[in-house]
Amino acid sequence: MIELGSYVSGTWIKGKGKAAELVNPATEEVLAVTSTEGLDFGAAIAFARDKGGPALRAMTFTQRGEMLRAMSRAIHAKRDELLNLAQANGGNTRGDAKFDVDGAIGTLAAYADLAQELGDTHVLVDGDGIQLGRSARLFGQHVSLPREGVAVHVNAFNFPAWGLAEKAATALLAGMPVISKPATSTALVTHRIVEILVAEKLMPEGVLSLVCGGAGDMLDRLGGQDVIAFTGSSITAAKLREGKSVLLRGTKINVEADSLNSAVLGADVEEGSDVMNLFVGDVVREMTQKTGQKCTATRRIYVPKDKVGAVIELLRERLSAIKVGDPTRDDVTMGPVATASQIRDLREGVKKLESCAKIVFGGATDVNPIGVPAGKGYFTTPVLLHGENPKAGDAVHEHEVFGPVATVMPYESAASAASLVAAGGGGLVSSVYSDDKDFIRTMIVAVAPHHGRLTIGSSKIAGQALPPGMALPQLLHGGPGRAGGGEELGGRRGMALYMQRTALQGDRAIIEGLSGKK
Ligand code: NAP
């Protein structure tokens, strides 16, 4: 049995006591165990703060970028091994595993590119300076410098590679050392990535640590220069927001939580058009990629009333081509969900949705996975529901089912579509499909305040559109309300979490001279 360790205080340490099991969700075979019991979290935090922090802050943005580039290349060099691990521990098809691992490689590379733009300096200059006095001499300028603490990253189970990399890329470029805590159930990929990076000696000591298992009292030990960046359920987020360090010492916290992402089809979109094909392709991909376990997956589909029947038929046709089973087989296009508790939650969640919608495709218990021993694995078919009378407050607008489950619903007008989208309580991404400029404008104005990202699918970009579920390093990832109110990525915007913005007032010559100096 493989026993995983944590990488803290510059060394690999195995925990004592009862270990948690990491399972293959297709076969239920136990792949590894891990525990963090007995780890000295105080020493781990101090080591990261005192060793990693100064080393990183001594590096310029360009040098931090070179480190990120080397990390990206080292992961790329072991890509096949990581894809295999993601398939075994995450229930990922090869395509799902690539989405995660290549996302990690690409995001580190994108932040390495950004570092080149920021240049050989330590100070991030924020906007233009302002003349404050009678003469141009008295000057004000906002600047940002790295916080002198540690960034603790608590990640969800669904992206063990990308989750590590997207948060680490931003924090390390900003100049903060990282302690990464992946979700225990799928930590094998994260663990292997950290092993690779440590073995290659790509980072100064203390710059990247790994806690592989429970967080213990680590978060309660943080202080006013530290940061928590959390991704996971809103229930866990609520607990972390009430943590001692957040409430009493002002530890900064960023939350990426649940999201009832939506897709809206315009009344102008005809069957057979490029936009309709884009819409149907996107919805099916977002429902089934990573077995619907993406925070950005589409959960709600709003369609003009007279198109509901046709859209359901198009989606059923495409969904019936999805082959569920052992994700390592080439003929399988959707694997299991990641854990026993996920399949239980999914089945209960579908029952909740049935309070306001009827199943029109599939069933959460009605599945015969290909190439899997009878009765084994955490499998479901895709499940499509139809809600005839959607309204705010019903289950489809309240409850996230974290799997390949979505609901088609009618809308009457652009205004009613927008208010139904907003009834989701704040989301990561919404997508609108139309060539009608007035409809698109109405939707953008009404829907944007409730979302971190909007994608607009129209005929002119249909051939090159990016899937709405793909978070890009250049654009913001996060959303208001239910989605947690956080902001990650978005190029240099994501770095703000890890830096203190300070307004400088004084002699213009001194302040302007600063941007090239420490
Ligand atoms: P979760 O149960 O909330 O766990 C998330 C992370 O929090 C795990 O690393 C977990 O560690 C840790 N954790 C749990 N309790 C903790 C505590 N008391 N103190 C410190 N850490 C604690 O969520 P999940 O089941 O992994 O992920 C699914 C959810 O994440 C879904 O609701 C999904 O929408 C959301 N999600 C959001 C985004 C986004 O970007 N907005 C992305 C992906 C997923 P252990 O595993 O060790 O328990």
Side-chain angles (χ1 to χ4, degrees):
M1 177 61 56
I2 302 169
E3 206 184 325
L4 303 180
S6 291
Y7 185 70
V8 289
S9 303
T11 184
W12 288 98
I13 302 173
K14 286 178 183 155
K16 306 183 192 88
K18 191 172 177 325
E21 293 178 340
L22 284 71
V23 169
N24 179 329
T27 62
E28 300 182 35
E29 175 200 355
V30 178
L31 300 171
V33 292
T34 190
S35 164
T36 55
E37 212 180 299
L39 252 62
D40 184 344
F41 287 111
I45 290 167
F47 187 84
R49 272 192 204 131
D50 300 344
K51 282 256 181 196
L56 262 181
R57 293 195 294 276
M59 294 160 77
T60 63
F61 290 116
T62 311
Q63 290 167 328
R64 292 175 207 157
E66 284 161 7
M67 180 182 73
L68 297 180
R69 179 95 57 211
M71 291 166 73
S72 171
R73 288 190 176 140
I75 297 171
H76 189 262
K78 304 279 185 192
R79 179 173 179 266
D80 272 342
E81 183 193 348
L82 293 167
L83 295 179
N84 292 338
L85 282 180
Q87 289 200 270
N89 189 203
N92 291 183
T93 62
R94 198 82 178 157
D96 291 343
K98 286 180 189 166
F99 192 65
D100 184 23
V101 174
D102 292 345
I105 295 166
T107 304
L108 285 162
Y111 271 85
D113 291 344
L114 174 60
Q116 280 186 328
E117 280 170 39
L118 300 180
D120 253 326
T121 173
H122 299 86
V123 182
L124 210 53
V125 177
D126 177 353
D128 293 333
I130 306 149
Q131 179 176 328
L132 296 175
R134 277 194 315 279
S135 81
R137 197 85 200 173
L138 183 57
F139 189 64
Q141 173 73 59
H142 291 97
V143 297
S144 293
L145 283 151
R147 296 174 147 249
E148 294 191 346
V150 60
V152 177
H153 292 165
V154 181
N155 276 316
F157 71 84
N158 52 349
F159 283 101
W162 178 80
L164 164 77
E166 59 101 16
K167 284 186 172 63
T170 326
L172 297 181
L173 182 56
M176 276 194 91
V178 167
I179 299 179
S180 192
K181 194 216 107 44
T184 305
S185 57
T186 58
L188 217 46
V189 173
T190 319
H191 180 273
R192 184 67 191 122
I193 290 177
V194 175
E195 250 183 6
I196 292 164
L197 300 177
V198 169
E200 296 272 334
K201 296 191 171 41
L202 300 177
M203 306 139 310
E205 276 207 323
V207 161
L208 180 65
S209 309
L210 171 76
V211 168
C212 198
D217 64 355
M218 176 167 58
L219 301 183
D220 283 343
R221 291 172 171 275
L222 300 176
Q225 285 286 307
D226 301 316
V227 173
I228 301 168
F230 169 78
T231 295
S233 65
S234 47
I235 294 169
T236 310
K239 280 188 211 152
L240 301 199
R241 284 188 209 275
E242 288 175 0
K244 236 180 2 195
S245 57
V246 176
L247 289 182
L248 302 181
R249 294 189 284 274
T251 303
K252 226 174 167 186
I253 182 164
N254 189 77
V255 170
E256 301 287 340
D258 312 352
S259 181
L260 298 169
N261 310 296
S262 53
V264 184
L265 184 72
D268 61 302
V269 182
E270 299 295 344
E271 226 177 305
S273 67
D274 288 348
V275 180
M276 181 65 96
N277 292 339
L278 178 67
F279 165 77
V280 171
D282 277 356
V283 167
V284 171
R285 184 191 312 97
E286 293 309 325
M287 279 183 73
T288 57
Q289 188 175 46
K290 291 202 117 256
T291 318
Q293 299 164 109
K294 285 191 316 196
C295 49
T296 50
T298 302
R299 311 290 179 202
R300 301 176 291 145
I301 304 156
Y302 297 105
V303 174
K305 210 170 186 173
D306 61 343
K307 293 189 193 291
V308 167
V311 164
I312 288 177
E313 269 326 299
L314 288 169
L315 291 174
R316 282 161 67 136
E317 197 184 313
R318 295 287 287 270
L319 290 170
S320 45
I322 299 293
K323 302 270 179 278
V324 178
D326 171 0
T328 60
R329 287 174 60 125
D330 289 344
D331 56 340
V332 163
T333 50
M334 194 175 92
V337 294
T339 62
S341 66
Q342 281 302 312
I343 195 72
R344 203 172 45 239
D345 289 354
L346 183 144
R347 287 178 181 148
E348 281 168 15
V350 170
K351 277 193 199 137
K352 281 189 186 152
L353 297 187
E354 284 185 283
S355 64
C356 63
K358 282 194 197 109
I359 293 179
V360 291
F361 181 88
T365 49
D366 183 16
V367 58
N368 292 306
I370 302 166
V372 174
K376 288 287 180 194
Y378 314 131
F379 291 95
T380 175
T381 67
V383 181
L384 187 69
L385 296 103
H386 172 208
E388 272 185 73
N389 296 302
K391 54 188 181 312
D394 56 18
V396 74
H397 295 107
E398 293 291 322
H399 188 71
E400 180 198 49
V401 181
F402 207 57
V405 180
T407 306
V408 179
M409 292 166 278
Y411 72 82
E412 307 270 353
S413 63
S416 73
S419 76
L420 285 168
V421 170
L428 296 173
V429 59
S430 179
S431 31
V432 179
Y433 297 83
S434 175
D435 281 322
D436 177 341
K437 292 200 174 95
D438 289 336
F439 175 73
I440 293 170
R441 200 172 301 116
T442 304
M443 291 303 289
I444 290 175
V445 170
V447 164
H450 302 273
H451 292 84
R453 189 159 57 88
L454 282 184
T455 73
I456 298 138
S458 59
S459 50
K460 292 218 169 107
I461 54 91
Q464 54 172 321
L466 296 169
M470 185 188 277
L472 299 168
Q474 303 88 340
L475 297 182
L476 274 184
H477 175 62
R482 179 193 303 278
E487 283 194 349
E488 286 186 343
L489 300 173
R492 60 192 278 171
R493 288 174 187 81
M495 292 163 65
L497 178 64
Y498 305 103
M499 304 185 91
Q500 176 60 41
R501 183 166 28 220
T502 306
L504 299 180
Q505 290 172 233
D507 183 334
R508 180 173 192 153
I510 296 172
I511 291 173
E512 288 194 331
L514 182 82
S515 54
K517 294 185 196 149
K518 192 169 181 204

